[in-house]
Amino acid sequence: MRRSLRWGLVAMALAAAPVLAQPQIESVELGLGGRFLPGVPTPVAVSIRPGGISRAVILEIFQRAERGSLERVQVPLHLGPRTRQQISIDFPIKSVSAPLEITLRDDTGELARMTKDVRQLWSESPLTLGIALDPQIPLRLIEIDLEKLPKRWTSYEGVGRIVWGRADPARLSAEQRRALQGWLVRGGELIILSGANWPEQSPSPPWWEKLLPITEGHVVRRAFDGQETFWLEGQPRPEAQVTHTAQGYPLAWEHPIGEGRVILVASNALPEELKLPTLSPKRSSEEDLLIAKALGSMTIPYPSRELISIALILFVMLVGLSGALVTRAPRTPLWIGVVALGLSAGFYSYQRSAEFSSDTYTLEIGVMRVSPVLSWESYWYGVFVQRPHDVSLTVSADVISALNPGTLLPSAEELVKELMPGGDWKVSFRSERASVRFVKVERMREPWIVGRLEGSQAWLSHRAPVALQDVIAYSGGAFYKLGTIAAQAELVRPLTERISQADWMSTLSGERRRVWQQWGRISSKTQFIGWIEHPRASPIGLAPRERRTALYLVIVERE
Amino acid sequence: MGYQWGLHQQGSAYTSYLILTGIPLLLALPSPDRVDALVAPRLSMTPIFLIVATVLFPVYSLSLGLHSAASELTRREIRKGVCAQVLYLCVLSLPYWTVFTGIVGHDLDRLLGALGYLGLYGACWALVGVPIGRRWPTEIAQFHIKYALLIVAIVTTFFVLRPLNPILMLSLWFGEGPVHEQRGFLLMGYLSLAIILGILLWWIGREEDRARVRNAPR
């Protein structure tokens, strides 16, 4: 009996060994606080238990749509023999009915698979996060620990609003801080409830101070509705404004940060007077339409039509003529054959030339908003594929998303995004003959151009590897022409060449004017406006046999 | 050399083949256009050139065989001559196929693969034309037999013996799918044509040997 039991255990161990040696997907956490907004990048945290041996694997995340998988993200990993791995990546969940599929595979095939049902986790509207709130506020929100705030701005894409309570901003890591700043610049709404929370929030790090609408903040005791409460007071910044008052005292201040805003509330409760707009998912279809229209109106050249036609007609005439000559010169067919071979060789080499053989014609439009803190850049990339082939692009960006602008129907083939060792993405897709495809790319990086206006002089330090063209300085409600700044150069120039906005607009080409009308905005922070027309400034690397037209609007803002 | 292989006699055939296939090729040449117009569905002349050039090739090859059968040359010389004439037709149409390959965006390997098949296919039909031309010397009979045979052969091979269908094979070569996935199908096509060509060459040679034995003085 005991022997049988022993043999049984040995047999079970032998049977289980290969299974245990395989890496396993232990868990998958989705969204923030388990909720996500469909259609935008959502953080997916995957925990992987390694097998007994170290190996190179690929983690793949995708969702099966009605017509196959439309977007697939691949992350190459090296699994050690023992260390458990936590991978966090942002993936756009586009369908709320299809489960999210996560697989682990290597050269031999699939090693592990997990599916995650997303039907119960999605939110109709952008999420509202609450951090250390006390007392509870009348908002439907997801309470989240400070430590669990995202480390990438892209993970915030589904978040519309954050309500900040009794939490010390200094506890945020550098990555979390940059992510929060990035989210704000892109249109996030941060509501800070101060009052009794102020001692916890202050003294705050300098980056947080710059977000606040007031300086010299301090708390006073004040009686409201027969109750004594802690009340924040301070000096509003020039660009901030008081939005609500109570009994003659400021109740809420607002400070615009990029496309977003910070609302500072003087007490630790959300006042009823503060009417917060209902959050709705961002609709950027108008922006996306521009690239479709611009690509649609682009003319694809074919310089060889006349040349080839004439050569072929002459050849046929020669063959016809040779029939008459052959009785006199019996070697004529041989020479005609040589001519045919020579013509074929000529055509073949000509068809390899750039003007004939460009497989893809692309158009890229971008807007780069550079502030002293960061450069927020958005690019719309449209590709017309003349001949069917596999397109592979190297993209150095934070978010890459396939677009469907509506006017031109893009190819329905799958888009595969593979994370490369340096942090860049390899984006590949198959394109059919005479088809289009649109991709939107966004990134945030360190500012690469710094400038200031001192009295009647402009100073600019430009570190990009391409020239900044037709720069305009904006000062005191007037425009001044500065000209072109060479790559990686500094410019010091007096503001003498004044130009009206109407005159400046009239100097813009059709494409530049369209881009300006879509994204150009003059604010009190605007300092310089310029243009880049070189694809080297793009985060999307040039593919072989690609002909790209690029146009980027650069807006430099002061702090 | 032109005299030796009878290339000089077929000048009008070559010219008419080039004119008939040249028209759809010129129409298939892309012209500068806006992307939205290029993306919109429209009639493409590219497959029309492919079909016209592929169907007319065996038609003209068979005509070359029929025409050669009427000559005073021996069968061995005729055999050599029709093969040279088909090769010459291939060489003359090479600029067209090169331009077509450029339009569809393929490489030299696909061009050579397709033209090799078309050459073998044409040679088979040219050799088939020799005994037909000898057996039915009248033009009207040759006309009926030629087109009946070609129509039956091309239509039938859409359903059976598919590797012997030139339209299918050339669509594969100039199509958008990967060729390596159809390696077996392609190999079968080339092998079948090579075997048929070998049989036809041997048979025509044997016919001449028999005739020589019959005509030899006893």
Side-chain angles (χ1 to χ4, degrees), chain B residues 68-114:
Chain B
S68 300
S71 68
E72 297 296 316
L73 298 169
T74 65
R75 289 198 176 203
R76 280 185 201 280
E77 284 167 337
I78 289 172
R79 196 172 66 174
K80 209 185 286 178
V82 290
C83 287
Q85 287 163 22
V86 171
L87 181 69
Y88 189 55
L89 189 60
C90 272
V91 171
L92 289 184
S93 62
L94 186 62
Y96 283 22
W97 290 108
T98 313
V99 170
F100 179 72
T101 311
I103 296 170
V104 292
H106 286 318
D107 284 327
L108 194 64
D109 51 349
R110 291 213 185 200
L111 169 66
L112 295 179

Coordinates of all heavy atoms in Angstrom, one line a residue, chain B residues 68-114:
Chain B
S68 N 4.2 26.7 -89.6 CA 5.4 26.0 -89.8 C 5.2 24.7 -90.5 O 6.0 24.2 -91.2 CB 6.2 25.8 -88.5 OG 6.5 27.0 -87.9
A69 N 4.0 24.1 -90.2 CA 3.7 22.7 -90.7 C 3.7 22.8 -92.2 O 3.9 21.8 -92.9 CB 2.4 22.2 -90.1
A70 N 3.3 23.9 -92.8 CA 3.2 24.0 -94.2 C 4.5 24.2 -94.9 O 4.6 24.1 -96.2 CB 2.3 25.2 -94.5
S71 N 5.6 24.4 -94.2 CA 6.9 24.7 -94.8 C 7.5 23.4 -95.3 O 7.0 22.3 -95.0 CB 7.8 25.3 -93.8 OG 8.1 24.4 -92.8
E72 N 8.5 23.5 -96.2 CA 9.2 22.4 -96.8 C 10.2 21.7 -95.9 O 10.9 20.8 -96.2 CB 9.8 22.8 -98.1 CG 8.9 23.3 -99.1 CD 7.9 22.3 -99.6 OE1 8.4 21.1 -99.9 OE2 6.7 22.5 -99.7
L73 N 10.4 22.3 -94.7 CA 11.5 21.8 -93.8 C 11.1 20.5 -93.2 O 10.0 20.0 -93.2 CB 11.6 22.8 -92.6 CG 12.0 24.3 -93.0 CD1 11.9 25.2 -91.8 CD2 13.5 24.3 -93.5
T74 N 12.2 19.8 -92.7 CA 11.9 18.5 -92.1 C 11.3 18.7 -90.7 O 11.3 19.9 -90.2 CB 13.3 17.8 -91.8 OG1 14.0 18.5 -90.9 CG2 14.0 17.6 -93.1
R75 N 10.7 17.6 -90.2 CA 10.0 17.8 -88.9 C 11.0 18.2 -87.8 O 10.6 19.0 -86.9 CB 9.3 16.5 -88.5 CG 8.1 16.3 -89.4 CD 7.2 15.3 -88.8 NE 6.0 15.2 -89.6 CZ 4.8 14.8 -89.2 NH1 4.7 14.5 -88.0 NH2 3.8 14.7 -90.0
R76 N 12.2 17.7 -87.8 CA 13.2 18.1 -86.8 C 13.5 19.6 -86.9 O 13.6 20.3 -85.9 CB 14.5 17.3 -87.0 CG 14.4 15.9 -86.5 CD 15.8 15.2 -86.6 NE 15.6 13.8 -86.5 CZ 15.4 13.1 -85.4 NH1 15.4 13.7 -84.3 NH2 15.3 11.8 -85.4
E77 N 13.6 20.1 -88.2 CA 13.8 21.5 -88.3 C 12.6 22.4 -87.9 O 12.8 23.4 -87.3 CB 14.2 21.8 -89.8 CG 15.6 21.4 -90.2 CD 15.8 21.4 -91.7 OE1 14.8 21.3 -92.4 OE2 17.0 21.5 -92.0
I78 N 11.5 21.8 -88.2 CA 10.2 22.5 -87.8 C 10.2 22.6 -86.3 O 9.9 23.6 -85.7 CB 9.0 21.8 -88.4 CG1 8.9 22.0 -89.9 CG2 7.7 22.3 -87.7 CD1 7.9 21.2 -90.6
R79 N 10.5 21.4 -85.7 CA 10.5 21.3 -84.2 C 11.3 22.4 -83.6 O 11.0 23.1 -82.7 CB 10.9 19.9 -83.8 CG 10.7 19.5 -82.5 CD 11.0 18.0 -82.3 NE 12.5 17.8 -82.4 CZ 13.0 16.6 -82.2 NH1 12.3 15.6 -81.9 NH2 14.3 16.4 -82.4
K80 N 12.5 22.5 -84.1 CA 13.5 23.5 -83.6 C 13.0 24.9 -83.9 O 13.0 25.8 -83.1 CB 14.8 23.3 -84.3 CG 16.0 23.7 -83.5 CD 17.3 23.6 -84.3 CE 17.8 22.2 -84.5 NZ 19.0 22.1 -85.3
G81 N 12.4 25.1 -85.1 CA 11.9 26.4 -85.6 C 10.8 26.9 -84.7 O 10.8 28.1 -84.2
V82 N 9.8 26.1 -84.4 CA 8.6 26.6 -83.6 C 9.1 26.9 -82.2 O 8.6 27.9 -81.6 CB 7.4 25.6 -83.6 CG1 6.7 25.5 -85.0 CG2 7.8 24.3 -83.1
C83 N 10.0 26.1 -81.7 CA 10.5 26.5 -80.3 C 11.2 27.8 -80.3 O 11.0 28.6 -79.4 CB 11.4 25.4 -79.8 SG 10.5 23.9 -79.4
A84 N 12.0 28.0 -81.4 CA 12.7 29.3 -81.5 C 11.7 30.5 -81.7 O 11.9 31.6 -81.1 CB 13.7 29.3 -82.6
Q85 N 10.7 30.2 -82.4 CA 9.7 31.3 -82.7 C 8.9 31.6 -81.4 O 8.6 32.8 -81.1 CB 8.7 30.8 -83.8 CG 9.3 30.8 -85.2 CD 8.5 30.0 -86.1 OE1 7.3 29.8 -85.9 NE2 9.2 29.6 -87.2
V86 N 8.6 30.6 -80.6 CA 7.9 30.9 -79.3 C 8.8 31.7 -78.4 O 8.4 32.6 -77.7 CB 7.4 29.6 -78.7 CG1 6.9 29.8 -77.3 CG2 6.3 28.9 -79.5
L87 N 10.1 31.2 -78.4 CA 11.1 31.9 -77.6 C 11.2 33.4 -78.0 O 11.3 34.3 -77.2 CB 12.4 31.2 -77.6 CG 13.5 31.8 -76.8 CD1 13.3 31.6 -75.3 CD2 14.9 31.2 -77.1
Y88 N 11.2 33.6 -79.3 CA 11.3 35.0 -79.9 C 10.0 35.8 -79.4 O 10.2 37.0 -79.1 CB 11.4 34.9 -81.4 CG 11.7 36.2 -82.0 CD1 12.8 36.9 -81.7 CD2 10.9 36.7 -83.0 CE1 13.1 38.1 -82.3 CE2 11.2 37.9 -83.7 CZ 12.3 38.6 -83.3 OH 12.6 39.8 -83.9
L89 N 8.9 35.2 -79.5 CA 7.7 35.9 -79.0 C 7.8 36.3 -77.5 O 7.4 37.3 -77.1 CB 6.4 35.0 -79.2 CG 5.1 35.6 -79.0 CD1 4.9 36.8 -80.0 CD2 4.0 34.6 -79.3
C90 N 8.4 35.3 -76.8 CA 8.6 35.6 -75.3 C 9.5 36.8 -75.2 O 9.3 37.7 -74.4 CB 9.3 34.4 -74.7 SG 8.2 33.2 -74.0
V91 N 10.6 36.8 -76.0 CA 11.6 37.9 -75.9 C 10.9 39.3 -76.3 O 11.1 40.3 -75.7 CB 12.8 37.6 -76.7 CG1 13.8 38.8 -76.8 CG2 13.6 36.4 -76.2
L92 N 10.1 39.2 -77.4 CA 9.5 40.4 -77.8 C 8.5 41.0 -76.8 O 8.3 42.2 -76.7 CB 8.8 40.2 -79.2 CG 9.7 40.0 -80.4 CD1 8.8 39.9 -81.6 CD2 10.7 41.1 -80.6
S93 N 7.8 40.1 -76.1 CA 6.8 40.5 -75.1 C 7.5 40.8 -73.8 O 6.8 41.3 -72.9 CB 5.7 39.5 -75.0 OG 6.2 38.3 -74.5
L94 N 8.8 40.6 -73.6 CA 9.4 40.8 -72.4 C 9.3 42.3 -71.9 O 9.0 42.5 -70.7 CB 10.9 40.4 -72.4 CG 11.7 40.4 -71.1 CD1 11.1 39.5 -70.1 CD2 13.2 40.0 -71.4
P95 N 9.5 43.3 -72.8 CA 9.3 44.7 -72.3 C 7.9 44.9 -71.7 O 7.8 45.6 -70.7 CB 9.5 45.5 -73.5 CG 10.3 44.7 -74.4 CD 9.9 43.3 -74.2
Y96 N 6.9 44.3 -72.3 CA 5.6 44.5 -71.8 C 5.4 43.9 -70.4 O 4.9 44.5 -69.4 CB 4.6 43.7 -72.7 CG 4.2 44.4 -74.0 CD1 5.1 45.4 -74.5 CD2 3.0 44.2 -74.6 CE1 4.8 46.0 -75.7 CE2 2.7 44.8 -75.8 CZ 3.6 45.7 -76.3 OH 3.3 46.4 -77.5
W97 N 5.9 42.6 -70.2 CA 5.8 42.0 -68.9 C 6.6 42.7 -67.9 O 6.3 42.7 -66.7 CB 6.3 40.5 -69.0 CG 5.3 39.7 -69.8 CD1 5.4 39.1 -71.1 CD2 4.0 39.2 -69.4 NE1 4.3 38.4 -71.5 CE2 3.4 38.5 -70.5 CE3 3.2 39.5 -68.3 CZ2 2.1 37.9 -70.4 CZ3 1.9 38.9 -68.2 CH2 1.4 38.2 -69.2
T98 N 7.8 43.3 -68.3 CA 8.6 44.0 -67.3 C 7.8 45.2 -66.8 O 7.8 45.5 -65.6 CB 9.9 44.5 -68.0 OG1 10.5 43.4 -68.7 CG2 10.9 45.0 -67.0
V99 N 7.2 46.0 -67.8 CA 6.4 47.1 -67.3 C 5.3 46.7 -66.4 O 5.0 47.3 -65.4 CB 5.9 47.9 -68.6 CG1 4.8 48.9 -68.2 CG2 7.0 48.5 -69.3
F100 N 4.6 45.6 -66.8 CA 3.5 45.1 -66.0 C 4.0 44.7 -64.6 O 3.3 45.0 -63.6 CB 2.9 43.8 -66.7 CG 1.7 43.2 -66.0 CD1 0.5 43.9 -65.9 CD2 1.9 42.0 -65.3 CE1 -0.5 43.3 -65.2 CE2 0.9 41.4 -64.7 CZ -0.4 42.1 -64.6
T101 N 5.1 44.0 -64.5 CA 5.7 43.7 -63.2 C 5.9 44.9 -62.4 O 5.7 44.9 -61.2 CB 7.0 42.9 -63.4 OG1 6.8 41.9 -64.4 CG2 7.5 42.2 -62.1
G102 N 6.4 46.0 -63.0 CA 6.6 47.2 -62.3 C 5.3 47.8 -61.8 O 5.2 48.3 -60.7
I103 N 4.2 47.7 -62.6 CA 2.9 48.3 -62.2 C 2.4 47.5 -61.0 O 1.9 48.1 -60.0 CB 1.9 48.2 -63.3 CG1 2.3 49.1 -64.5 CG2 0.5 48.6 -62.9 CD1 1.5 48.9 -65.8
V104 N 2.5 46.2 -61.0 CA 2.0 45.4 -59.9 C 2.9 45.3 -58.7 O 2.6 44.8 -57.7 CB 1.5 44.0 -60.3 CG1 0.3 44.0 -61.3 CG2 2.7 43.2 -61.0
G105 N 4.2 45.8 -59.0 CA 5.1 45.9 -57.9 C 5.8 44.6 -57.5 O 6.0 44.3 -56.3
H106 N 6.1 43.8 -58.4 CA 6.8 42.5 -58.1 C 8.3 42.5 -58.6 O 8.7 43.5 -59.2 CB 6.1 41.3 -58.8 CG 4.8 41.0 -58.1 ND1 4.7 41.0 -56.7 CD2 3.6 40.7 -58.5 CE1 3.5 40.6 -56.4 NE2 2.8 40.5 -57.5
D107 N 9.0 41.5 -58.2 CA 10.4 41.4 -58.5 C 10.7 40.6 -59.7 O 9.8 39.9 -60.3 CB 11.2 40.9 -57.3 CG 11.3 42.0 -56.3 OD1 11.4 43.2 -56.6 OD2 11.3 41.7 -55.1
L108 N 12.0 40.5 -60.1 CA 12.4 39.8 -61.2 C 12.0 38.3 -61.2 O 11.7 37.7 -62.2 CB 13.9 39.9 -61.4 CG 14.6 39.5 -62.7 CD1 14.1 40.4 -63.8 CD2 16.1 39.6 -62.6
D109 N 12.1 37.7 -60.0 CA 11.8 36.2 -59.8 C 10.4 35.9 -60.3 O 10.2 34.9 -61.0 CB 12.1 35.8 -58.4 CG 11.3 36.6 -57.4 OD1 10.8 37.7 -57.8 OD2 11.3 36.2 -56.2
R110 N 9.5 36.7 -60.0 CA 8.1 36.5 -60.4 C 8.0 36.6 -61.9 O 7.2 35.9 -62.5 CB 7.1 37.4 -59.7 CG 7.1 37.1 -58.2 CD 5.7 37.4 -57.7 NE 5.6 37.2 -56.2 CZ 4.4 37.1 -55.6 NH1 3.3 37.0 -56.3 NH2 4.4 37.0 -54.3
L111 N 8.6 37.6 -62.4 CA 8.6 37.9 -63.9 C 9.1 36.7 -64.6 O 8.5 36.2 -65.6 CB 9.4 39.2 -64.2 CG 9.7 39.4 -65.7 CD1 8.4 39.7 -66.4 CD2 10.6 40.6 -65.8
L112 N 10.3 36.2 -64.2 CA 10.9 35.1 -64.9 C 10.1 33.8 -64.7 O 9.9 33.0 -65.6 CB 12.3 34.9 -64.4 CG 13.3 36.0 -64.7 CD1 14.7 35.7 -64.1 CD2 13.4 36.3 -66.2
G113 N 9.5 33.6 -63.5 CA 8.7 32.4 -63.3 C 7.5 32.4 -64.2 O 7.2 31.4 -64.8
A114 N 6.8 33.6 -64.3 CA 5.6 33.6 -65.1 C 6.0 33.5 -66.6 O 5.3 32.7 -67.3 CB 4.9 35.0 -64.9

